[in-house]
Amino acid sequence: MLTINYFIWFTQDCLREVKFVMPASKTNVECAANKKGIFVSSTGTEQGKTILASGIAAWWKSVTGAAPAVWKPVQSGVQWGASNADSYRLKWGGGLEDKQEQDIVSLAFSAPLSPLAAAARENVSINCAALRREGITRLSQGLPLVVEGAGGVAVPFANTYTMCSLASDLELPMLIVAQPLLGTISHTVTAVHYAREQGIPDIAVVMGGLAPEQLEREHECEENAQIIAEQAQVPVLGRLPWIPQPVMHDPHAWSSWRAQWVEAMSRVSLLCDWLMGRMNEVNKERCADSSSLTSDC
Ligand SMILES: Nc1ncnc2c1ncn2[C@@H]1O[C@H](COP(=O)(O)OP(=O)(O)OP(=O)(O)O)[C@@H](O)[C@H]1O
Ligand SMILES: C[C@H](N)[C@H](N)CCCCCC(=O)O
Ligand SMILES: [Mg+2]
C-alpha cells in the first residue's frame, strides 16, 4: 500500500510542470522488456474508447484468468469517483476492483478540454518525457498494457506531442474506434494516415457499436467498414457490441455488464484474434536501441 501511494505521488508530481518550464530534454530511458500491449484511440471524443478499453480488460481477464494493466495517461472534464469518469469506468468495467482510480489515470484536469488545454487552464503543462517514462515503466511490469488515449489520434498532450506521439514512443499497436455510420469514412481514413505518418506501423480499426435504434443501418456500417479497409489499406476488425455501462455505483450491475460484454465481444473474432497477437507479443528485439523510445516533446 505504501509503495502504491508513493508511486501515485511520484507520478503526479513528475507529470505536472509549472507552466512555461521547458519540456524535459531527450534522455535515454530504460527499455520495456517483454513489451506487449495496445493503444486504444479513435477518430474523436465520445467514440467508445472507454467502453472498448474496459471491455478488452474484462475480456482478457475472462480468457486468461488475470487482468491486464490499464492506463489512461490523462483524463479531463470529470471528477475522481464520478460514475462518468473514465478512471471509474475503466476500473469497474475492466474488473479492476483492487485498483485505485489514481492507479489507472495519472493526471486529471477538471476542464472538459484536450489534455493540453485542460492543463493550461490549471496553469501547468504536461511533462511528456515523464509521461513516456511512465508508459515504459508500466510496460515493463510483466502484464499486457491497455492504454486509452483522450479524444482522437491527433489530440495533444503538449504543443508537439499527441496521442500518436506517445503510442509511437511506446511502440504500441494502435486500435482506432471509428463511428459506424454516415460521416465516418473521411475521419477514419484521415486518422489512419495520420497515425502512420506519426510512426505507428501496426494499426487496426474497429467500428463502434450501433445503438438499438440504429440497428436497421447495419448494412451501411458494413459498407463503410469495407470502404475504410480499402481506402486506408487497414484491417477493419468488425463492429463492437452495444452494451451501455451502468450509470451508478452497483458492483453487481458492473459484474453483469462485464459478463454481457465478454460474451458479445468474444463473437467479434477478428478483433479477439488481433488482440491475442498483440497482448501476448514479446518484443524483446525492439529493445536493442532504447533511445528509439524517446523523442523531444
Ligand atoms: N459500444 C457501446 N455500447 C454502449 N454504449 C456505448 C458504446 N460505445 C459508446 N457508448 C456510449 O457513448 C458514450 C461515449 O463512449 P466513451 O465514453 O467510451 O467514449 P470515449 O471515446 O472514451 O470518450 P473520451 O474521448 O471522452 O475518452 C458513452 O456514454 C458510452 O456509454
Ligand atoms: C473532455 C472529453 N470528454 C475528453 N476527455 C477530451 C477530449 C479532447 C478532444 C479535443 C478535440 O478534439 O478538440
Ligand atoms: Mg474515454
Side-chain angles (χ1 to χ4, degrees), residues 79-159:
Q79 299 300 315
W80 295 116
S83 62
N84 66 339
D86 283 10
S87 48
Y88 179 94
R89 294 169 57 211
L90 290 167
K91 170 177 164 156
W92 288 96
L96 311 172
E97 295 94 332
D98 58 327
K99 298 281 178 208
Q100 303 291 319
E101 286 181 49
Q102 289 84 353
D103 297 336
I104 297 169
V105 167
S106 299
L107 287 175
F109 298 104
S110 46
L113 299 169
S114 67
L116 167 67
R121 289 285 170 97
E122 297 180 27
N123 264 347
V124 293
S125 59
I126 293 168
N127 181 338
C128 305
L131 208 56
R132 192 164 52 221
R133 281 195 297 274
E134 185 178 339
I136 289 166
T137 301
R138 286 180 185 250
L139 275 166
S140 306
Q141 288 169 348
L143 294 172
L145 181 66
V146 178
V147 184
E148 184 195 340
V153 289
V155 165
F157 290 110
N159 269 335

Side-chain angles (χ1 to χ4, degrees), residues 5-296:
N5 283 339
Y6 174 76
F7 179 68
I8 292 162
W9 170 84
F10 174 79
T11 297
Q12 303 241 336
D13 195 53
C14 278
L15 297 181
R16 281 176 193 260
E17 289 183 325
V18 178
K19 209 175 170 208
F20 303 126
V21 169
M22 292 292 286
S25 60
K26 187 169 178 168
T27 50
N28 273 359
V29 285
E30 195 191 335
C31 176
N34 298 336
K35 209 145 53 77
K36 51 202 172 181
I38 55 154
F39 194 107
V40 177
S41 192
S42 60
T43 54
T45 189
E46 297 278 302
Q47 305 278 295
K49 293 185 301 298
T50 305
I51 289 266
L52 176 59
S54 57
I56 289 172
W59 167 79
W60 185 257
K61 193 175 174 181
S62 87
V63 172
T64 66
V70 176
W71 184 37
K72 171 117 182 168
V74 181
Q75 77 177 3
S76 57
V78 286
Q79 299 300 315
W80 295 116
S83 62
N84 66 339
D86 283 10
S87 48
Y88 179 94
R89 294 169 57 211
L90 290 167
K91 170 177 164 156
W92 288 96
L96 311 172
E97 295 94 332
D98 58 327
K99 298 281 178 208
Q100 303 291 319
E101 286 181 49
Q102 289 84 353
D103 297 336
I104 297 169
V105 167
S106 299
L107 287 175
F109 298 104
S110 46
L113 299 169
S114 67
L116 167 67
R121 289 285 170 97
E122 297 180 27
N123 264 347
V124 293
S125 59
I126 293 168
N127 181 338
C128 305
L131 208 56
R132 192 164 52 221
R133 281 195 297 274
E134 185 178 339
I136 289 166
T137 301
R138 286 180 185 250
L139 275 166
S140 306
Q141 288 169 348
L143 294 172
L145 181 66
V146 178
V147 184
E148 184 195 340
V153 289
V155 165
F157 290 110
N159 269 335
T160 58
Y161 201 80
T162 68
M163 298 301 133
C164 281
S165 314
L166 182 62
S168 168
D169 277 352
L170 299 179
E171 298 184 13
L172 286 174
M174 179 171 273
L175 181 56
I176 296 177
V177 187
Q179 272 287 317
L181 298 176
L182 186 67
T184 192
I185 294 172
S186 183
H187 287 312
T188 309
V189 171
T190 309
V192 172
H193 282 302
Y194 175 80
R196 273 197 197 118
E197 265 171 28
Q198 297 300 306
I200 303 169
D202 188 6
I203 303 167
V205 168
V206 66
M207 308 306 280
L210 287 174
E213 66 276 12
Q214 296 173 320
L215 271 178
E216 64 194 24
R217 295 171 70 184
E218 215 171 355
H219 182 60
E220 179 185 334
C221 174
E222 278 165 24
E223 285 173 318
N224 286 339
Q226 200 176 339
I227 293 169
I228 288 165
E230 281 163 11
Q231 295 294 317
Q233 291 293 294
V234 70
V236 181
L237 306 175
R239 170 164 55 86
L240 296 179
W242 183 268
I243 304 174
Q245 289 185 323
V247 289
M248 51 203 289
H249 183 69
D250 175 353
H252 292 296
W254 279 100
S255 163
S256 158
W257 181 84
R258 291 194 296 273
Q260 288 177 67
W261 178 274
V262 167
E263 201 271 319
M265 186 184 140
S266 301
R267 283 186 259 119
V268 189
S269 52
L270 285 179
L271 173 64
C272 295
D273 292 349
W274 189 88
L275 289 167
M276 237 351 137
R278 274 75 191 169
M279 290 173 70
N280 271 322
E281 205 167 88
V282 176
N283 291 321
K284 281 187 178 141
E285 69 284 359
R286 288 196 197 152
C287 294
D289 176 13
S290 66
S291 63
S292 69
L293 293 172
T294 65
S295 68
D296 290 318

